[in-house]
Structure formats: C-alpha cells, structure tokens
Amino acid sequence: MSGFAAESGGHWYTVTGTAMHTVLGANGKERHTTLRDARKLNLLPSVTTILKVLDKPQLGRWKMQNAVVAAMTTPRLEGESDEAWCERILTVADSPMNEARDFGTALHDLMEVRAMRPDALSHPTVDPALKPWFPFIEDFYADVKEVVLCETAVVGEGYAGRIDLLSRHHSIDGLVLNDFKTSKWKTGKAGFYDDHARQLAAYATVLEEQYGEVVTTRNVGINSLRAEAFQYRTWTPEERASAGLIFKQTLKLWQSITGYRPQQTTTVNDGN
C-alpha cells in the first residue's frame, strides 16, 4: 500500500456528517485522523481530501516560489546542521500559507455569523483587523434574500464536506451555492480554478437531490491583501457538468488508490 493510502490525514466525517478530523491517540492525546482510523470508524473522506490526488500546478508553483524566497532570506546559523536549516526554511516557506489560512478562517467565521445575524458586524468581539472588509460583506448580503444553509455538512455517496452558504438571491434565480475563496490578488483579479468547480459540483449534486431543483454554483473571491469588492465566478451548466464528471472519476481513483470505499445514505446534516 502506498504511503498516501496508509498515512494521509485530510478531513473525515461520519456517515451522518459529523466532522472527525481528529481522534484520540493511544497516548490519550488528540491527533489528526488517518485513513487507518477511517477504516476502523467507517468514516467518509472530505471532497478536498479526494481532490488532493489530482495535480494542482498553480499551488505547486506557489509553494516552490515560497520555498525559494525562504531559502534566499533564511541565513544558515553557525553550527546548524543541514536538517535543522532545511526545517527552518520550510517553516518560513509555510508561513504565507498559514497566514492565509488564519485570515480565511477568521473571515469564514464572520461570514457565517453575518449570514445568521444581520447585526453581527457591529458586535464588539469582532476582530478590528477585519473591519475594512465590512462594506463588501454587507454588499454581498444585500443581494441575499434567504439563507437556506450555512456552514453545513453535506454527505454524498462515498464522500462528505461542508458548504459555506446555500442561499437565494435577488440577482440570481433559484438556489445558489456560494463558496468563499480568500487569496492575495496582486494583479487585481481573483484566481478561480477547475478544482473549485469540482468541489462545488460534488456538493451541488447532493443538494439538488434534497431540494429537487437546480443549484447554481458560484465562487466568491475575497482579496486578503487589501479590502476591495468581492469578485465572482459563476460556473456555467456545461462547466458544472464537466466538473461533476471529473469529481466522480476522481472519487473512483481515490478509492482505487486507498482500497477503501465506505457506503452510506446521502443526507444533509445541520450539526457539526
């Protein structure tokens, strides 16, 4: 069995949609859930875990650029071993990704609270660093006429994940599945990738079965470099169909690589 199959972590869910990203280890301490744990507990892989088997050239190049810059700007300490120096360089290289993840988490949390509470942005506990984005958050929600689901687990056949926002809008007919993507736009244009369409297609397939109507899939680009208007990528029906087909094939590939294929009933969970 490959190292990927035996050791990969990723995100995992129970068949009812409860997140199981960590488990208690033999030492009583919490650790990341692995495929081995998933087999024992009959867990479902997340959509993003499945899509990791596909190459992502843009992400790979960005990581390499970070590593090169980190190597150029991290002098070797006197007496430092090769291993220790490389480890420090990798830590520095990972810092932009960690910062982006932290900002994205904070913004996602705020978008979720705002979806459920219109007065959320005026709450004194909101991080002041996010205030420059408030006008653009309000612009987004001004077009939302109904919040249907927010940060909710979606379970399909062989996979699961969490959606950001399923809603109805003044400007778009029917249900819209919105997925928030934070990134740094140095060119003034948000980056939307095929992987984003595949992730949304996997969720939309389940939601359409539940609600009995077509779900429009849309990515919402948010600039973490500076506060500015959100940018949008609405995937066409043809793009959505292609993305859905590729996800199904990727799921089969993931199952073939891991030798793991859980079975369960498709559902939507309003819990964790």
Side-chain angles (χ1 to χ4, degrees), residues 43-101:
L43 302 180
L44 304 173
S46 71
V47 171
T48 52
T49 295
I50 293 165
L51 290 173
K52 283 181 181 179
V53 302
L54 300 180
D55 185 34
K56 300 175 180 63
Q58 299 93 343
L59 179 60
R61 182 173 179 80
W62 182 67
K63 287 182 176 181
M64 285 192 291
Q65 288 174 335
N66 287 342
V68 170
V69 172
M72 294 170 59
T73 57
T74 307
R76 187 170 190 162
L77 302 177
E78 185 176 353
E80 188 173 28
S81 67
D82 291 345
E83 184 178 356
W85 186 30
C86 288
E87 198 62 39
R88 278 203 306 119
I89 290 173
L90 290 174
T91 299
V92 173
D94 284 342
S95 61
M97 182 176 291
N98 293 334
E99 291 170 4
R101 186 183 298 114

Side-chain angles (χ1 to χ4, degrees), residues 29-49:
K29 295 183 179 180
E30 201 171 68
R31 60 171 175 77
H32 292 299
T33 305
T34 66
L35 178 60
R36 188 174 289 108
D37 300 317
R39 293 181 189 278
K40 294 178 180 178
L41 301 173
N42 191 37
L43 302 180
L44 304 173
S46 71
V47 171
T48 52
T49 295

Side-chain angles (χ1 to χ4, degrees), residues 8 31 36 47-48 58 63 68 78 105 111 131 140 169 171 193 198 204 213 220 244 252 255 265 268:
S8 65
R31 60 171 175 77
R36 188 174 289 108
V47 171
T48 52
Q58 299 93 343
K63 287 182 176 181
V68 170
E78 185 176 353
T105 299
M111 293 291 281
K131 286 186 177 181
F140 172 84
H169 293 250
S171 63
Y193 304 109
R198 294 161 190 162
E213 59 180 288
V220 182
K252 291 180 180 179
Q255 291 172 341
T265 302
V268 173

